[in-house]
Amino acid sequence: MFFRVMDKDRLPDLVRGLAAEYEVIGPIAKGDEFVFAIVSDPTELRLDYDTTILPPKKHFMPPTESLMSFRVQDSEVVGEELDRTPRVLFGLHPCDINGLMLMDNVFLQGYEDPYYKARRESTLIVGLNCMPHEGCFCKAWGTDEVHWGFDIFLSDLGDRYFVSVRSVEGADLLDRCVETRQITPEDTAEFQRVASEFQASFEGQPDTSQVPLLLDAKYDDPIWEELGSRCLSCGACSMVCPTCYCFDVRDRLEPDGQEGTRERVWDSCLYIDFAEVAHGHNFRASRAARVKNRYYHKQWGYLSKFERVLCVGCGRCASACKADINPRIVIEALQAGGGSL
Amino acid sequence: MNPTAVRRLAAYEQLSANPYRPWPARITSITELTDKETLFELRLIDDDVRDAFKFESGQFVEVSIFGVGEAPISISSAPSKQGFIELCVRNAGDVTGALHSRQCGDIVGLRGPFGRGFPFEEMKGNDVLLVAGGLGIAPLKSLINHIHDTRHEFGKVTILYGSRSPEEVLFARQFDMWRHRDDFDLHLTVDQPDETWDGDVGLVTNLFERVDVDPAKTFGAICGPPVMYKYVVAEMRAKGMEADRIYVSFERRMKCGFGKCGHCGVGHQYACIDGPVFNYWEAMNLQEAM
Amino acid sequence: MARVVVLGLASDFGCQVQMTNMEDHLLDVLGAIELEYWQLAASGHMPEDYDVAIVEGAVTTEEHVELLKRVRETASTVIAIGSCAVTGGIPALALSGDLEDRVGCVYGESGALVACGRILPMPVGAIIDVDYHVVGCPIDPAEFVEVLHRAIQGLRDAVPLEPMCATCKIAENTCFYDRGEVCLGLVTRAGCGTKCISLGRPCTGCRGIAADANFESAKAIVERMGADLDLLLERAQLYNNARKDLS
Amino acid sequence: MSTLTVEHVARIEGHGTITVDVDGGEVRDIRMDVIEPVRLFESMVVGRRFDEAPLITSRICGICSPNHAVTSLKAVEAALGIEVSERTQLLRKLLLYASYLQNHATHLYVFAAPDYVGGGIGSVFPLATSAPDVVQRALRIKKLGNELTTALAGRSVHPITPVVGGFSSEPAVSVLEAFVPRLAEAARDAGKTAALVATFVIPTFEPAGEMLAMVDSDDYAIYEGSVCALDAGWCRDVSEYRSFITETVVGHSNAKHSTVDGRPFMVGALPRVNQSWDRLAPTARVVASKLGFRPVSRNTFHNNLCQAIELIDAAERCASYIEQFAAVGGSSTPEAFAIKSGSGSGATEAPRGTLYHSLSIDDDGIVTAGDVITPTAQNLANLEADMRAFAPTVAALPEPEFVLRIEQLVRAYDPCLSCSVH
Ligand SMILES: Cc1cc2nc3c(=O)[nH]c(=O)nc-3n(C[C@H](O)[C@H](O)[C@H](O)COP(=O)(O)OP(=O)(O)OC[C@H]3O[C@@H](n4cnc5c(N)ncnc54)[C@H](O)[C@@H]3O)c2cc1C
Ligand code: SF4
Ligand code: SF4
Ligand code: SF4
């Protein structure tokens, strides 16, 4: 990794430079909130965003995507396209970059997922530092920082960005698109100051040190029933989660019934039929069992495989959940002995 | 490398390049077993893909019917038989129903094989106690046939198989013949007998009174409806078998078959890649397993 | 090929209009079936025999009841389309209060003349078994075609069981409850792509209450978010007045 | 005496049966029985919140739902004293006209044409093979109308975005502008449609009914204007509709019958073109004239041709509204308003004729009374009068021929029976 400094007023140059070669996707405003969307004009970019409604996973695994198209009559695959559009995801916060790396574990290990892989390989990541907002508990998981998983990373130093360059592509890009300069000792000092300020501004992060242990111990805790009675089984939490990856596969026929598309669509383990098998046996028939599964899978099951927890503490699920089911509160309640929230 | 090997390797790479992509296979034989279950013999159409397709007993394939969907189905034939696979399929919904309406010569899609099968090599030299309930016989049938094909490498082989009624006994004809063999100790039981039934009546667990087990040199293999496992395992344990010598095969909802879609979670494992065959020692520690 | 008839009970024909509103595909769809009777689009008589009956509209007369019974005897497959047919829809609003009063309100003293044979509105499923449901007011043409193909192939009915909020997040909408406004998406069957919400209107529940809705929790949410609970309950009736369990 | 019945007349919206009493070759009586079950909408809005009225009454008719929604909104706004912005009005007009495109195209090609083309083929579907270009043209216009309504209102049936005081969301100008070239094509398609309709062989027929339509001094009236009677020569404010239209319940039909000044009357494309001829888009007038249409025509069968003329007009007008929309400022965001008691009414010209809604609201915004008169309800008395006048002139024809002629007359009205029995 090496470092450069870029004056803030150069930002439009960088974005335009990128846009000449890539589809640039960054945070823009939608109503009172923010979304990642194609940026057609650098002034649309809202680098002051707190969080987005959907995480960047939608650009690697769209909510609905075609796996292949087929002909019914002779069972032939007639089309199978990998999306290799050159893209830049601009302005990702550390939690979301960490989220992507957790997705990578699933989709790039074991059987490689060609669709995910193609998008991942053709996408550059430009990271951006942030300040914790109300719902963040990334620090509790150690996902508040990111040391790889990006091509370049911008840290806001007021009138300039401290640019960390991680990849060759990142370095090339910077060279081609925008004027930067060498870092000075003052820049480094300021960079450190900003980083410390960031660290200091976290308040009341939950203690997650015992989470796997707690989950093991509290499998039959009444807390799960309480959460279950509230849960709408709506799945909103899974949709907005940067690390929820479950999907369903459906065949859709064209109106003439001759050809069709096999599609992958986002699914949620909170839906009632997620674990139902033929003849109606449902391995998680109760809402309580399904809510519990979300926590066990994320903070215990995944951990057992990849030595990380499948949560980056972004707080999106808590704000999407109308039933006020919030992992942070659940963790704190379990830590406090369980029994009720 | 010789040209054939190169070609096979290429086919194999193709097979694994996109694990979502089904390969066309032809239905080469259809045998109705019961009202609801049918045995399908399938052959992958591409020669090289077919040659590259290797599997173990207990593994499954995703059967794909374009326009309808996919369903995980255990391979019922033995790995020792190559060039085709047999699937014993119950008509239980969309895909399995559509498969039942297909005819000999029709083409469907196949992906796989997926999952962990039974530890065949490890079982060699030992006694084997296989317990099946209903359709659970499908994956065990592969193991039984495989053992049959290498019978001399195994000790005592006992099969306990429970069905709801005589009409629902799968592979009845074959088992009928086997009942009179002395290299397989086969016991069939039904819950609801009719006048034609001269075998045992009652749950499959009742059959345990009749079997002698040498726990130190026996492997257990279980597959059946979700409610069955707990009771069968208890019987095996009562016979002194260690948890790590018992293997169970689980059914879960599955979409991809290789650890991505998240549907088949059993505790912290996935039935598709960590199973469907689990060592009971592992399974014991999985929440929601039984 | 499946022989298909299209029948309308009490409705505004909106769903049948939607069936014609897939101009690019209408002929393709018609190529995949044998359309034997469709009063809206073609002259001809209802045939004696057919395979698939597509029924729009709520049941509001004794004649409808008789017709449906005949249909069920004849057709191997019955598809109910639209809220009127599936939940009773807007026509079922007439269930509240007294039918005679209502007739009087609209037709005055001569009401008795027109109300003859009129019964309380019901969904089709209250009279006969329905094999497939296309929900919504109006139905979405693409969803209709999808269900039609499922029916022709004999696949199972596939109305989403879960409520709307996940799709709403996929559409990246700001939740109405964050503004203190009542939205029926909390309990309404998913599958429309949250058209209304994405266009700035809260869900009015036209697809019917989701099979797996948690109505009790929804009520608690509305109160906690400071929205109008009465409004939630009233809105829930709008398309679900034939259900008695929503209060 | 014998009775001839045509049950469930095809290719009209709703269920109706024609009954003809014949005595020794003479037609004694002829009736249009609207067997569409009573739907009681006016009673259903009572007790609901005011903002649900447009949503509920939109379900009176799936074909002209934009008209019902907008008309009901006008009634609510009149009751609450809300003035909507110019931008909102423009969007509403565009919405209504876009729905004309799809309505008239559907009626002319799917409902009416099969009576005339190829010697009465019964449905449009055979044309897909015998005259694919005709079907393609029909679908093109219909699709454009649907897509434009969808762009404006979220879908073509039961609009989503029009709300009390404005729109909950509006399309980007660029989205609408993309329709302009297609509208130009649609105008040409509509011209060809008019030429096709002009080839329909129709009888000379001059019934005696009155004709009512909204008239606006500076626009072809669909969204606003006063109601004018062609023969009587008066114009009245729409809010007085109850004072000039008399509704009566008739024994044989679930729809009420309407009269004005004691006479049956017609509403729809023909009365509109007759009264607003000068305000039609010039191209529409030129095409109509070339095809030999001159106002005033009293021949009911000309209603189809007038629909085709309106199609041309609608295509032209939509394009010009889009242009105006790009230029007009302001906002369509719903106006702020306070809930208070009041009564109000509104009217628009639906494809089938003038549509009236009125509502009374109490202090809490709850509807206490509702009233709707649909175009078909207004037309029914006139339709029966026409049938009585027309039937004897074709009574000598063989029965199938006779029935076809009577059905042609019925379809000329483009009746919407489910609407009529709201
Ligand atoms: C590893 C493994 C091996 C297997 N081996 C075999 C085998 O050898 N032979 C065999 O026959 N089967 C086997 N199965 C089971 C088989 O996969 C299922 O029966 C099959 O997937 C059913 O698919 P389907 O499309 O036919 O049914 P579907 O149409 O998918 O119906 C089944 C599913 O849909 C649910 N469902 C049904 N109706 C509804 C409804 N109205 N609304 C919502 N949900 C509904 C069912 O409960 C179930 O979850 C195996 C399963 C696994 C996991
Ligand atoms: S579980 Fe919730 S907090 Fe954790 S990563 Fe997912 S959305 Fe964010
Ligand atoms: S968002 Fe909340 S209510 Fe919805 S499924 Fe998730 S936990 Fe349940
Ligand atoms: S309640 Fe309504 S607005 Fe909120 S998330 Fe659910 S569907 Fe969307």
Side-chain angles (χ1 to χ4, degrees):
Chain A
M1 192 141 70
F2 68 92
F3 306 101
R4 305 283 295 178
V5 162
M6 179 182 90
D7 287 332
K8 254 197 186 162
D9 56 10
R10 295 283 167 206
L11 189 74
D13 292 352
L14 177 61
V15 177
R16 273 191 218 103
L18 292 173
E21 298 169 45
Y22 296 89
E23 184 178 279
V24 179
I25 288 164
I28 65 167
K30 183 178 183 190
D32 302 335
E33 298 183 79
F34 300 96
V35 297
F36 283 112
I38 296 178
V39 178
S40 41
D41 177 349
T43 59
E44 279 180 303
L45 264 181
R46 288 290 300 274
L47 297 185
D48 59 337
Y49 80 107
D50 49 5
T51 183
T52 53
I53 301 179
L54 285 184
K57 78 171 173 191
K58 66 176 177 177
H59 295 290
F60 300 97
M61 182 186 167
T64 301
E65 85 179 296
S66 161
L67 298 179
M68 61 200 78
S69 48
F70 54 79
R71 199 162 48 221
V72 171
Q73 203 194 359
D74 53 0
S75 293
E76 277 292 320
V77 174
V78 293
E80 183 189 81
E81 264 169 54
L82 299 182
D83 177 3
R84 293 192 186 280
T85 314
R87 279 199 186 92
V88 180
L89 280 190
F90 198 97
L92 300 202
H93 289 164
C95 60
D96 281 344
I97 297 174
N98 275 307
L100 280 177
M101 290 196 287
L102 296 175
M103 295 274 284
D104 289 350
N105 287 340
V106 176
F107 287 106
L108 303 180
Q109 288 190 30
Y111 290 82
E112 278 181 354
D113 187 289
Y115 307 96
Y116 180 89
K117 189 174 179 219
R119 290 202 182 82
R120 197 73 167 96
E121 284 174 348
S122 19
T123 306
L124 299 182
I125 307 285
V126 179
L128 177 72
N129 72 328
C130 57
M131 286 305 259
H133 62 89
E134 208 188 332
C136 299
F137 59 107
C138 50
K139 195 169 162 64
W141 297 127
T143 45
D144 51 332
E145 287 188 354
V146 66
H147 306 288
W148 48 81
F150 53 83
D151 294 278
I152 51 183
F153 193 94
L154 308 176
S155 299
D156 192 335
L157 304 186
D159 58 347
R160 60 199 189 281
Y161 287 110
F162 192 86
V163 187
S164 316
V165 182
R166 182 90 239 179
S167 70
V168 178
E169 291 91 331
D172 269 5
L173 254 167
L174 215 54
D175 260 3
R176 264 178 294 154
C177 301
V178 70
E179 200 184 298
T180 57
R181 56 178 172 77
Q182 299 282 352
I183 51 168
T184 63
E186 292 79 58
D187 294 326
T188 313
E190 180 62 5
F191 173 61
Q192 274 181 317
R193 195 194 60 75
V194 168
S196 323
E197 185 187 69
F198 168 65
Q199 288 300 337
S201 56
F202 281 97
E203 279 169 21
Q205 295 288 294
D207 172 7
T208 55
S209 57
Q210 296 182 326
V211 162
L213 192 82
L214 276 174
L215 288 180
D216 241 1
K218 304 278 179 196
Y219 192 77
D220 295 316
D221 198 279
I223 218 173
W224 303 118
E225 287 299 331
E226 188 180 344
L227 292 168
S229 72
R230 283 199 210 168
C231 176
L232 299 165
S233 301
C234 72
C237 48
S238 316
M239 306 300 128
V240 301
C241 178
T243 62
C244 274
Y245 53 81
C246 292
F247 58 82
D248 190 8
V249 178
R250 293 178 196 161
D251 285 6
R252 200 176 44 76
L253 288 179
E254 295 300 325
D256 63 6
Q258 304 296 308
E259 291 196 359
T261 321
R262 178 156 289 171
E263 289 173 342
R264 141 154 96 193
V265 292
W266 287 359
D267 206 339
S268 168
C269 61
L270 282 310
Y271 293 159
I272 187 170
D273 56 350
F274 187 82
E276 186 176 302
V277 295
H279 317 299
H281 185 82
N282 192 338
F283 287 93
R284 280 176 226 117
S286 76
R287 286 183 219 276
R290 299 197 292 275
V291 176
K292 177 154 74 175
N293 174 72
R294 182 159 194 265
Y295 285 85
Y296 274 75
H297 175 235
K298 288 181 139 342
Q299 292 162 22
W300 182 201
Y302 185 91
L303 177 85
S304 78
K305 286 211 150 80
F306 300 108
E307 294 173 15
R308 299 290 304 268
V309 160
L310 191 63
C311 171
V312 293
C314 68
R316 284 188 179 94
C317 59
S319 53
C321 179
K322 292 287 110 37
D324 207 16
I325 297 176
N326 181 339
R328 182 172 173 166
I329 294 174
V330 174
I331 292 167
E332 283 166 354
L334 290 176
Q335 207 100 30
S340 83
L341 284 170
Chain B
M1 260 196 287
N2 71 42
T4 325
V6 171
R7 225 182 51 219
R8 292 226 172 117
L9 194 67
Y12 191 75
E13 271 167 13
Q14 232 188 341
L15 244 180
S16 49
N18 184 352
Y20 293 96
R21 188 189 170 127
W23 293 95
R26 193 181 300 284
I27 302 176
T28 44
S29 144
I30 297 179
T31 316
E32 251 181 58
L33 299 178
T34 69
D35 264 7
K36 293 205 112 150
E37 284 98 354
T38 301
L39 189 68
F40 295 89
E41 182 189 84
L42 294 143
R43 281 168 205 270
L44 284 158
I45 289 175
D46 186 290
D47 294 340
D48 295 322
V49 171
R50 192 169 62 233
D51 290 343
F53 187 94
K54 295 275 184 300
F55 69 94
E56 295 167 10
S57 296
Q59 283 194 299
F60 64 95
V61 289
E62 284 280 350
V63 176
S64 183
I65 297 190
F66 279 127
V68 180
E70 299 188 298
I73 303 289
S74 304
I75 303 174
S76 276
S77 51
S80 38
K81 298 279 186 297
Q82 293 190 4
F84 69 92
I85 58 169
E86 282 176 357
L87 305 177
C88 169
V89 183
R90 173 175 295 172
N91 184 344
D94 290 352
V95 177
T96 51
L99 188 61
H100 274 77
S101 68
R102 293 297 184 275
Q103 278 155 19
C104 221
D106 283 355
I107 295 172
V108 297
L110 279 188
R111 299 192 285 122
F114 295 121
R116 277 200 316 184
F118 292 101
F120 188 76
E121 292 304 317
E122 203 187 323
M123 285 176 164
K124 278 183 182 168
N126 289 279
D127 294 352
V128 187
L129 171 59
L130 303 111
V131 184
L135 188 58
I137 194 70
L140 289 184
K141 185 69 178 13
S142 169
L143 184 60
I144 295 169
N145 285 0
H146 201 189
I147 291 173
H148 172 264
D149 293 347
T150 46
R151 184 64 190 87
H152 61 279
E153 301 201 49
F154 290 85
K156 197 164 74 172
V157 180
T158 312
I159 303 165
L160 310 183
Y161 173 28
S163 297
R164 213 157 350 170
S165 67
E167 305 89 72
E168 290 179 37
V169 176
L170 294 165
F171 306 107
R173 197 130 23 105
Q174 190 174 358
F175 285 138
D176 224 26
M177 277 154 47
W178 282 26
R179 276 214 271 186
H180 309 293
R181 286 171 66 148
D182 46 17
D183 54 349
F184 285 90
D185 186 17
L186 175 74
H187 300 273
L188 302 184
T189 180
V190 299
D191 297 350
Q192 299 145 7
D194 60 14
E195 52 291 352
T196 66
W197 186 250
D198 60 356
D200 287 289
V201 173
L203 298 177
V204 74
T205 40
N206 295 350
L207 296 174
F208 272 84
E209 335 175 319
R210 305 249 219 93
V211 290
D212 261 340
V213 175
D214 176 354
K217 58 184 284 258
T218 304
F219 277 102
I222 312 173
C223 188
V227 291
M228 194 188 85
Y229 292 88
K230 205 163 76 186
Y231 299 103
V232 173
V233 167
E235 294 289 345
M236 288 191 177
R237 302 282 278 151
K239 295 269 179 201
M241 289 173 67
E242 292 292 343
D244 67 349
R245 291 181 77 88
I246 302 172
Y247 286 84
V248 288
S249 175
F250 286 150
E251 178 191 345
R252 287 296 183 277
R253 188 157 177 131
M254 274 177 200
K255 287 293 169 181
C256 64
F258 46 87
K260 311 288 180 234
C261 79
H263 280 270
C264 68
V266 191
H268 61 272
Q269 304 277 50
Y270 280 151
C272 61
I273 44 174
D274 305 311
V277 176
F278 288 93
N279 186 287
Y280 180 64
W281 176 252
E282 295 167 297
M284 238 172 22
N285 296 310
L286 297 178
Q287 307 285 15
E288 305 181 328
M290 281 173 222
Chain C
M1 257 198 271
R3 295 163 304 163
V4 178
V5 297
V6 184
L7 305 168
L9 309 179
S11 74
D12 67 358
F13 278 61
C15 292
Q16 294 188 51
V17 173
Q18 284 291 71
M19 284 167 59
T20 72
N21 282 352
M22 41 177 177
E23 296 81 9
D24 288 342
H25 306 306
L26 191 57
L27 299 175
D28 286 342
V29 173
L30 291 172
I33 59 172
E34 262 175 63
L35 184 64
E36 304 256 300
Y37 177 71
W38 187 4
Q39 175 263 347
L40 181 68
S43 296
H45 292 285
M46 176 94 170
E48 285 290 304
D49 198 22
Y50 43 88
D51 307 307
V52 180
I54 298 172
V55 185
E56 180 208 64
V59 181
T60 60
T61 66
E62 282 152 14
E63 196 192 334
H64 290 157
V65 175
E66 291 315 308
L67 172 67
L68 284 179
K69 288 183 179 158
R70 283 200 307 279
V71 164
R72 189 66 272 188
E73 276 167 24
T74 315
S76 56
T77 304
V78 175
I79 309 178
I81 65 166
S83 300
C84 302
V86 175
T87 66
I90 295 283
L93 275 181
L95 272 174
S96 310
D98 185 61
L99 182 63
E100 267 176 43
D101 281 356
R102 284 183 183 277
V103 174
C105 162
V106 177
Y107 290 90
E109 284 178 8
S110 345
L113 286 173
V114 285
C116 172
R118 161 91 197 200
I119 57 172
L120 289 174
M122 276 178 277
V124 173
I127 307 294
I128 57 168
D129 287 340
V130 173
D131 305 300
Y132 297 89
H133 301 82
V134 189
V135 297
C137 180
I139 58 166
D140 177 72
E143 198 179 350
F144 166 74
V145 175
E146 225 167 275
V147 176
L148 184 65
H149 278 304
R150 293 190 71 84
I152 294 171
Q153 293 183 89
L155 309 185
R156 64 186 155 74
D157 198 10
V159 182
L161 305 170
E162 70 279 358
M164 215 52 95
C165 303
T167 341
C168 190
K169 290 300 113 194
I170 289 177
E172 299 193 89
N173 294 319
T174 294
C175 179
F176 276 102
Y177 286 99
D178 295 347
R179 296 178 234 156
E181 283 181 56
V182 165
C183 170
L184 233 63
L186 290 180
V187 289
T188 301
R189 285 184 180 114
C192 63
T194 60
K195 265 200 198 81
C196 296
I197 301 159
S198 301
L199 288 169
R201 287 191 77 167
C203 173
T204 50
C206 81
R207 292 173 64 84
I209 302 292
D212 190 37
N214 188 345
F215 205 73
E216 286 309 309
S217 172
K219 287 197 287 187
I221 290 168
V222 173
E223 293 212 287
R224 187 167 40 76
M225 301 298 281
D228 181 347
L229 182 59
D230 289 341
L231 183 56
L232 177 90
L233 299 177
E234 279 171 38
R235 279 282 144 85
Q237 298 299 336
L238 200 49
Y239 292 92
N240 298 286
N241 207 26
R243 279 178 69 154
K244 292 287 151 244
D245 55 338
L246 305 176
S247 55
Chain D
M1 191 159 87
S2 65
T3 303
L4 173 70
T5 52
V6 185
E7 278 181 44
H8 294 253
V9 179
R11 284 179 283 123
I12 58 175
E13 206 236 27
H15 299 287
T17 293
I18 302 169
T19 312
V20 197
D21 296 332
V22 192
D23 192 0
E26 297 253 317
V27 177
R28 287 272 172 249
D29 193 16
I30 180 160
R31 292 184 305 277
M32 181 76 201
D33 303 344
V34 180
I35 51 171
E36 188 69 25
V38 294
R39 289 160 69 219
L40 310 170
F41 268 86
E42 287 143 327
S43 78
M44 280 167 3
V45 292
V46 174
R48 308 287 318 182
R49 301 190 191 216
F50 71 97
D51 56 351
E52 286 178 349
L55 186 149
I56 295 172
T57 53
S58 157
R59 269 70 186 177
I60 289 174
C61 178
I63 296 196
C64 60
S65 54
N67 273 94
H68 280 283
V70 169
T71 313
S72 180
L73 287 172
K74 289 181 77 175
V76 173
E77 287 158 2
L80 294 175
I82 303 166
E83 291 266 350
V84 301
S85 70
E86 197 188 337
R87 193 178 179 86
T88 293
Q89 296 188 27
L90 198 54
L91 280 172
R92 286 184 181 172
K93 285 186 195 174
L94 185 54
L95 173 63
L96 297 189
Y97 256 120
S99 91
Y100 267 54
L101 287 175
Q102 95 93 11
N103 263 273
H104 283 347
T106 306
H107 175 70
L108 291 171
Y109 284 99
V110 183
F111 297 167
D115 283 342
Y116 299 95
V117 179
I121 44 181
S123 103
V124 69
F125 305 129
L127 287 182
T129 34
S130 62
D133 52 324
V134 173
V135 174
Q136 289 310 329
R137 190 197 307 143
L139 293 179
R140 222 168 22 238
I141 305 175
K142 187 163 137 40
K143 185 176 170 208
L144 174 64
N146 277 331
E147 288 182 3
L148 187 51
T149 13
T150 304
L152 289 159
R155 60 187 170 214
S156 58
V157 178
H158 302 319
I160 295 166
T161 55
V163 293
V164 176
F167 279 78
S168 66
S169 161
E170 68 172 43
V173 172
S174 59
V175 170
L176 293 182
E177 278 174 346
F179 281 97
V180 173
R182 292 174 63 193
L183 285 162
E185 187 193 21
R188 288 191 295 275
D189 280 341
K192 290 185 192 146
T193 307
L196 174 74
V197 174
T199 65
F200 294 177
V201 180
I202 58 169
T204 320
F205 176 56
E206 295 259 314
E210 173 65 289
M211 291 193 172
L212 254 58
M214 280 165 74
V215 177
D216 185 10
S217 49
D218 38 44
D219 215 345
Y220 191 83
I222 43 150
Y223 178 69
E224 56 201 345
S226 40
V227 180
C228 299
L230 183 68
D231 294 337
W234 49 253
C235 287
R236 302 266 177 82
D237 195 89
V238 292
S239 63
E240 296 163 24
Y241 74 92
R242 271 289 160 208
S243 71
F244 54 83
I245 296 175
T246 313
E247 278 197 307
T248 41
V249 177
V250 292
H252 62 276
S253 162
N254 287 346
K256 298 178 198 172
H257 279 192
S258 302
T259 52
V260 56
D261 303 331
R263 289 169 70 194
F265 61 97
M266 180 181 188
V267 293
L270 177 61
R272 278 192 300 259
V273 171
N274 275 338
Q275 300 204 55
S276 294
W277 172 258
D278 294 341
R279 288 167 214 89
L280 279 171
T283 36
R285 252 179 296 151
V286 170
V287 172
S289 307
K290 277 195 188 155
L291 294 171
F293 181 85
R294 297 277 179 282
V296 165
S297 163
R298 294 201 161 271
N299 188 344
T300 315
F301 290 92
H302 265 147
N303 199 46
N304 284 334
L305 184 58
C306 287
Q307 288 179 315
I309 295 167
E310 285 192 334
L311 259 186
I312 307 174
D313 180 71
E316 300 273 350
R317 207 169 293 268
C318 283
S320 100
Y321 285 150
I322 290 173
E323 238 168 67
Q324 293 175 39
F325 178 68
V328 75
S331 149
S332 66
T333 309
E335 305 290 335
F337 58 87
I339 296 172
K340 56 175 179 131
S341 64
S343 298
S345 53
T348 62
E349 280 291 332
R352 288 160 195 80
T354 325
L355 169 66
Y356 304 92
H357 279 230
S358 65
L359 280 178
S360 297
I361 298 171
D362 70 10
D363 285 329
D364 301 322
I366 305 297
V367 177
T368 53
D371 183 50
V372 174
I373 307 186
T374 64
T376 301
Q378 296 168 66
N379 273 334
L380 278 173
N382 205 54
L383 164 63
E384 280 195 355
D386 277 11
M387 291 202 301
R388 274 193 292 275
F390 181 65
T393 69
V394 287
L397 295 171
E399 189 184 306
E401 186 79 347
F402 170 76
V403 170
L404 175 68
R405 292 301 177 86
I406 297 291
E407 286 191 30
Q408 284 177 344
L409 175 65
V410 171
R411 286 194 197 99
Y413 275 91
D414 187 5
C416 175
L417 301 183
S418 51
C419 249
S420 70
V421 197
H422 47 276

